[in-house]
Amino acid sequence: MKLISIVVPMFNEEEMAPLFIKAISEVFANIPNYDYEIVAVNDGSKDNTLNILLEEQEKNNKIVIVNLSRNFGHEPALFAGLKTAKGDAVIPMDADLQDPPEVIPELIKKWEEGYQVVNARRVSRKEDSFLKRKTAGMFYDWSDKISNKVKVPQNVANFRLIDRRPLDEILEFGEKNRVFRIQVPYVGFKVCEVLFSRPKRAKGVSKYNPKSMFSLAISSTISLTVRPLEWSIGICIFLAVICGLSWISQATFFVLKLTNVLNIGELNLWFWLIINVLLTVGFLILFVIAILSQYVAKNTIETLARPAVIIDEVIRK
Ligand code: UDP
Ligand code: MG
């Protein structure tokens, strides 16, 4: 019998954990020719998530608990789960039922047709807030523009089915800045998608805030491409042209002054022009440094070569 692993990172999901497990068990009760495991990663929850998972495990031996040594964040927690999962196919999901379990049989069906990655794409985000929809839209447009050969599918988050073969490739990656939704299109293989509409979070609150969303956007960009680094060359050329023009204007100014063509009023004009040019130049330099610093920062983390996540223990029944 083929084994399907559901991987679910949980941070303070005491309300959702039992509901999630119930929903998944119901789905698999309807497809009895597949075995399943629920790899629940407790990402250093401050609430009762771990105890509730242990209780649930008493009733259902399909649950594997991966207890992290502290809160590492959604992506590292997902990675810990993916490493632990033993399935022939693995489906990462959020605990809040925003990735509807009803879609699972469709994902498996496509997998059986021979697709190794089955993306679940959101057709509607009506239930997300205006800000979240807008920023997510901007992020997908942006990643589409900057990526080269790797095409990041629009409106596909972590929810998808991935076959053991591409998953093993991803687990081999040495990087610490792991962004699953970028790694999957990177490895390629036979890909298709199914559509679903995204419901509201069933219970509890979102663990993402504007800051963590911005940081995910930066991590994704860096994981996707080094293109912004290349832009800095273009910006520098532009900068050189501006500096050249500024020098030429100053030279012209001196010539005009020497030949008594210019009076004081015009001199003031020139003064402000030069100030503006300097400000622009300053801004552009800072902009290039800002891009560089992001890459250098991520590089520093890679150089430290610390593990992306630390599992305290894996609890099986
Ligand atoms: N999550 C996690 N660690 C964190 C933050 C979130 O494991 O530090 C989990 C969370 O429990 C949920 C999933 O990541 O299962 C997605 O989080 P959430 O639903 O809050 O994000 P949103 O849907 O608002 O993007
Ligand atoms: Mg959610």
Side-chain angles (χ1 to χ4, degrees), residues 58-298:
E58 287 301 316
K59 295 181 264 171
N60 181 350
N61 63 5
K62 305 278 183 206
I63 301 171
V64 178
I65 304 168
V66 179
N67 193 36
L68 302 187
S69 56
R70 62 170 168 86
N71 175 248
F72 279 88
H74 188 182
E75 289 291 333
L78 174 63
F79 175 53
L82 295 173
K83 276 207 301 191
T84 311
K86 294 208 166 114
D88 302 295
V90 176
I91 305 178
M93 294 177 77
D94 287 356
D96 54 9
L97 295 176
Q98 283 197 290
D99 302 330
E102 311 84 82
V103 183
I104 294 175
E106 275 180 73
L107 298 176
I108 297 177
K109 193 166 151 266
K110 287 284 177 192
W111 176 53
E112 291 292 7
E113 285 172 18
Y115 294 100
Q116 290 149 301
V117 173
V118 188
N119 292 326
R121 186 153 72 87
R122 305 164 184 179
V123 278
S124 136
R125 301 184 68 126
K126 279 201 300 286
E127 301 301 340
D128 278 343
S129 72
F130 176 77
L131 183 77
K132 180 118 193 188
R133 273 207 312 270
K134 270 275 161 257
T135 48
M138 276 161 58
F139 170 70
Y140 287 118
D141 286 348
W142 158 256
S143 53
D144 208 41
K145 281 206 183 71
I146 56 165
S147 60
N148 192 6
K149 285 199 161 55
V150 180
K151 284 291 160 223
V152 182
Q154 306 274 302
N155 286 318
V156 178
N158 292 331
F159 185 35
R160 59 187 95 200
L161 178 146
I162 180 163
D163 178 82
R164 176 52 56 189
R165 176 77 185 81
L167 178 63
D168 280 344
E169 293 289 342
I170 289 177
L171 294 177
E172 284 297 308
F173 288 7
E175 63 192 8
K176 304 292 174 292
N177 176 39
R178 286 181 164 268
V179 185
F180 186 65
R181 67 189 74 181
I182 306 292
Q183 293 174 323
V184 178
Y186 182 85
V187 291
F189 292 95
K190 237 181 135 209
V191 184
C192 73
E193 66 177 20
V194 300
L195 304 177
F196 75 100
S197 48
R198 187 161 165 89
K200 248 201 180 91
R201 191 177 233 285
K203 275 206 164 80
V205 288
S206 169
K207 274 78 197 175
Y208 272 86
N209 53 35
K211 195 171 151 241
S212 53
M213 270 154 55
F214 183 70
S215 119
L216 177 65
I218 298 272
S219 300
S220 303
T221 305
I222 291 177
S223 155
L224 185 63
T225 177
V226 291
R227 262 198 189 170
L229 278 179
E230 294 161 7
W231 293 342
S232 55
I233 298 171
I235 293 171
C236 285
I237 294 172
F238 181 60
L239 200 76
V241 172
I242 292 195
C243 285
L245 288 177
S246 165
W247 280 112
I248 293 169
S249 350
Q250 280 184 44
T252 317
F253 160 69
F254 276 113
V255 171
L256 291 179
K257 198 185 163 207
L258 284 178
T259 49
N260 283 329
V261 180
L262 219 61
N263 62 32
I264 292 296
E266 280 167 323
L267 202 133
N268 264 333
L269 258 175
W270 280 104
F271 174 75
W272 282 112
L273 179 74
I274 290 164
I275 292 286
N276 279 332
V277 167
L278 287 180
L279 281 176
T280 316
V281 167
F283 165 73
L284 289 172
I285 292 175
L286 283 177
F287 183 63
V288 174
I289 293 177
I291 295 176
L292 274 173
S293 65
Q294 293 297 330
Y295 280 86
V296 171
K298 293 289 173 191

